[in-house]
Amino acid sequence: MAYMYWVAMDIMNKRQNSLKLNEDYMNQKKGMIRTIFRLVLSLMFFLLVSCKTDRQERQDNIGKPTKEQPVKPISPNVNVYIENSLSMRGYIKGNTSFKTDLRELLTLLNYHYDSENVKLYFINKEVYPINSNNNIDYITNLTNETFKVGLVNESDLNKVFGQVLDKTTNNTLSIVVSDCIYSVGGSASALSVQKTGIEEAFLNKNRKGVKLSTEIVQLNSQFDGIYYDKNNGKHVLKGELRPYYLIALGNDAVMSDLNTKIPFNNGKFEGFKNKLFLTTKNYSDDLYYTLLKTKSDVGRYSFNRSYSTQNYKRGIENIKQGRGKFTFSVGIDFSKIPLESNYLLEKSNYKIEQGNYKIKSITAVNQTTSQTISSPSQALLHNGKQKVTHYVTFEATSAGQSDLVCVLENKIPGWVYATNSMDDTAQIIDTKRTFGFQYLVEGIDEANKLIQGETRSIFKYNIKIE
């Protein structure tokens, strides 16, 4: 009996040990399963993040930055140079548009940049500071006597710009007020020499580490006085309207700030006629653009999510043809570039680098034309706190669609050549033209071409189409 008892007890102990081993095994197995499950979740999370990053990189490759960089405040020194050669005297007799617009310019500069930072000068062969407690009153009271400072009989436009460039740094806004007439001693062929001279002056400035953009604003004013032609012949004008120019010089940041604060146009300056912007900068990474659906679209399409965010849409898919050739529109905010509205509306200033499309129309967005933008696209702009100043409508030129690459080219506008005169010696002066003006503009533009290089454009944008 004792033997049987011990045998039974041994069997029970072994069974309990076996059950304990099974329980330990099951606990280990559950632990392994939990570990594997955690690893799978971690791997899935990693893959999701990687896919999102990859998609974001593809979006960034299409065009606009996804993050806005903080804008540094601009507080340049502002120098205004009034060329006071004899040929400029006719603009100051009486209360002319010249005086009115110059007062307006100084008022705006004083307000936006602080009057203590705004300095006024006469310039001819040398630079002469105008020491006045009130620059605006000084301009109002200008006379031939107060205008006669320095060697007013000598006028060399390239030397004027040379002096201004010498005093222009990366923290300077320089504005030249001049009729921009070249004095070449009677030889029109010498204008090409002047063109090379202004080109060299801008290249030398760039070589010193100051990369300048130039805005040239053409204004008209009454002119009552003597006009001197290229042979120094005298022509008396009695109140006829003649062009003169404001030429603003500064780096890209300074010029962008100026354009935001003082958008030169005929709303603020009564003599405003034209303007152009000469730059070495490509703005492709700075300007907002997005696909916009409009009420005049021909055909339908869906936005490609791989090339879209909450703030913009830059991809098209699932195209369905309508009655006519397929069209779509791209909205762009050009407000950061001081380009004249006519330049932005001219189809010939754009080039289709890729895609079977042509530009059907270019529309400036205002209170009326904004109603042609569909409600979902208006909501896209509103929710993303974005705006567009123009939208370009593209039309397919053949069946089957491919990606679109469009470029806003960097060109001299036609009004420059319409303004230029090669001979101003006729008995009746053509008061709408400026002798040699195109050579000044072309000289600056040639310098910019060398600085910017082969890929010369103001803005390039892509739309992915599947």
Side-chain angles (χ1 to χ4, degrees):
M1 288 294 289
Y3 173 75
M4 292 297 292
Y5 171 78
W6 289 112
V7 169
M9 290 297 293
D10 183 57
I11 291 172
M12 289 179 66
N13 288 335
K14 288 182 178 179
R15 186 175 181 182
Q16 288 178 349
N17 289 337
S18 176
L19 289 173
K20 187 176 181 181
L21 287 173
N22 286 336
E23 184 180 354
D24 291 343
Y25 172 75
M26 291 302 296
N27 288 336
Q28 290 178 1
K29 189 173 181 180
K30 289 179 181 177
M32 290 178 64
I33 291 173
R34 283 195 295 268
T35 300
I36 292 171
F37 185 67
R38 291 192 189 101
L39 288 172
V40 171
L41 284 177
S42 298
L43 180 60
M44 290 176 65
F45 179 76
F46 173 76
L47 289 174
L48 285 171
V49 172
S50 298
C51 289
K52 184 177 180 181
T53 302
D54 180 64
R55 189 175 77 172
Q56 188 64 52
E57 287 177 353
R58 283 186 286 144
Q59 291 168 345
D60 290 345
N61 287 335
I62 297 175
K64 168 33 198 161
T66 56
K67 294 182 180 179
E68 290 287 339
Q69 296 297 324
V71 178
K72 296 181 179 179
I74 301 294
S75 55
N77 298 314
V78 181
N79 297 325
V80 180
Y81 303 90
I82 303 172
E83 186 198 348
N84 64 329
S85 61
L86 291 178
S87 65
M88 291 286 292
R89 281 191 181 182
Y91 293 111
I92 65 169
K93 187 174 180 179
N95 189 26
T96 60
S97 294
F98 177 87
K99 287 184 177 180
T100 300
D101 285 339
L102 196 49
R103 285 195 300 265
E104 179 66 22
L105 173 66
L106 291 171
T107 299
L108 294 173
L109 291 174
N110 288 342
Y111 174 75
H112 290 294
Y113 297 102
D114 194 335
S115 59
E116 292 183 357
N117 296 325
V118 180
K119 306 299 181 184
L120 194 60
Y121 302 88
F122 283 130
I123 187 168
N124 40 70
K125 190 175 182 180
E126 296 181 15
V127 177
Y128 302 91
I130 296 175
N131 297 314
S132 172
N133 293 329
N134 190 316
N135 288 337
I136 297 171
D137 287 346
Y138 187 87
I139 295 301
T140 300
N141 299 317
L142 269 178
T143 64
N144 284 344
E145 290 303 314
T146 57
F147 200 63
K148 188 179 179 180
V149 178
L151 298 173
V152 296
N153 292 327
E154 297 187 26
S155 177
D156 187 322
L157 192 59
N158 280 2
K159 288 183 179 179
V160 166
F161 276 96
Q163 293 178 89
V164 172
L165 288 172
D166 284 343
K167 298 180 181 297
T168 303
T169 69
N170 280 317
N171 192 44
T172 305
L173 169 61
S174 298
I175 299 177
V176 181
V177 184
S178 171
D179 58 7
C180 290
I181 296 174
Y182 272 115
S183 299
V184 293
S187 174
S189 61
L191 287 170
S192 60
V193 177
Q194 301 299 320
K195 172 183 169 180
T196 303
I198 200 70
E199 176 185 359
E200 182 182 18
F202 274 79
L203 288 174
N204 287 338
K205 195 64 182 179
N206 181 75
R207 196 174 291 116
K208 294 176 181 177
V210 182
K211 186 178 291 187
L212 297 176
S213 290
T214 308
E215 185 171 7
I216 301 179
V217 182
Q218 182 188 41
L219 302 104
N220 283 339
S221 175
Q222 301 81 5
F223 186 98
D224 192 344
I226 298 175
Y227 174 85
Y228 296 85
D229 64 32
K230 67 187 182 75
N231 293 327
N232 285 326
K234 296 180 180 181
H235 305 260
V236 178
L237 300 179
K238 293 290 185 180
E240 286 92 339
L241 287 177
R242 273 201 48 75
Y244 72 98
Y245 305 88
L246 303 180
I247 302 96
L249 305 167
N251 65 26
D252 293 319
V254 168
M255 295 303 292
S256 179
D257 182 70
L258 172 66
N259 179 61
T260 301
K261 293 172 177 174
I262 309 177
F264 295 97
N265 53 47
N266 54 8
K268 292 297 291 182
F269 296 86
E270 68 176 35
F272 176 85
K273 188 70 175 175
N274 292 294
K275 71 176 179 180
L276 74 146
F277 185 55
L278 302 170
T279 182
T280 61
K281 181 177 172 63
N282 184 296
Y283 286 80
S284 297
D285 292 334
D286 298 330
L287 303 190
Y288 171 82
Y289 72 93
T290 183
L291 284 160
L292 293 177
K293 292 190 176 182
T294 72
K295 296 176 182 179
S296 59
D297 287 349
V298 178
R300 291 182 295 166
Y301 65 88
S302 301
F303 294 125
N304 189 324
R305 293 184 179 181
S306 296
Y307 305 102
S308 301
T309 70
Q310 291 181 341
N311 292 334
Y312 62 75
K313 311 297 180 185
R314 295 179 186 168
I316 288 175
E317 62 183 2
N318 301 326
I319 295 173
K320 295 181 180 179
Q321 298 288 348
R323 294 183 178 180
K325 295 181 178 179
F326 174 65
T327 68
F328 63 92
S329 297
V330 179
I332 309 166
D333 180 11
F334 282 120
S335 61
K336 290 184 179 179
I337 311 178
L339 290 171
E340 189 179 8
S341 58
N342 289 341
Y343 189 92
L344 294 171
L345 294 171
E346 177 55 54
K347 294 181 185 179
S348 63
N349 291 330
Y350 297 79
K351 182 172 72 173
I352 308 296
E353 282 197 348
Q354 180 182 333
N356 55 325
Y357 310 97
K358 68 177 182 179
I359 293 178
K360 183 179 181 180
S361 62
I362 304 169
T363 304
V365 177
N366 52 40
Q367 190 171 3
T368 301
T369 58
S370 64
Q371 302 305 311
T372 63
I373 301 172
S374 71
S375 296
S377 288
Q378 289 191 33
L380 168 73
L381 296 173
H382 176 76
N383 294 337
K385 297 181 180 179
Q386 302 289 352
K387 69 174 182 177
V388 294
T389 59
H390 297 75
Y391 65 84
V392 183
T393 299
F394 297 91
E395 181 181 85
T397 56
S398 61
Q401 277 71 48
S402 61
D403 293 349
L404 166 73
V405 178
C406 184
V407 171
L408 175 61
E409 297 189 288
N410 202 338
K411 300 166 66 175
I412 297 175
W415 70 263
V416 170
Y417 300 100
T419 298
N420 183 67
S421 169
M422 295 299 295
D423 190 347
D424 60 351
T425 59
Q427 186 173 359
I428 300 177
I429 296 296
D430 186 346
T431 56
K432 296 181 180 180
R433 295 179 181 269
T434 299
F435 178 72
F437 179 66
Q438 81 175 62
Y439 290 85
L440 169 67
V441 177
E442 287 178 345
I444 300 172
D445 190 57
E446 289 296 327
N448 288 349
K449 285 180 181 178
L450 288 172
I451 294 167
Q452 191 172 18
E454 294 297 325
T455 56
R456 188 164 189 257
S457 62
I458 295 176
F459 178 57
K460 177 187 286 191
Y461 56 98
N462 307 341
I463 300 295
K464 302 296 290 185
I465 300 178
E466 297 180 1

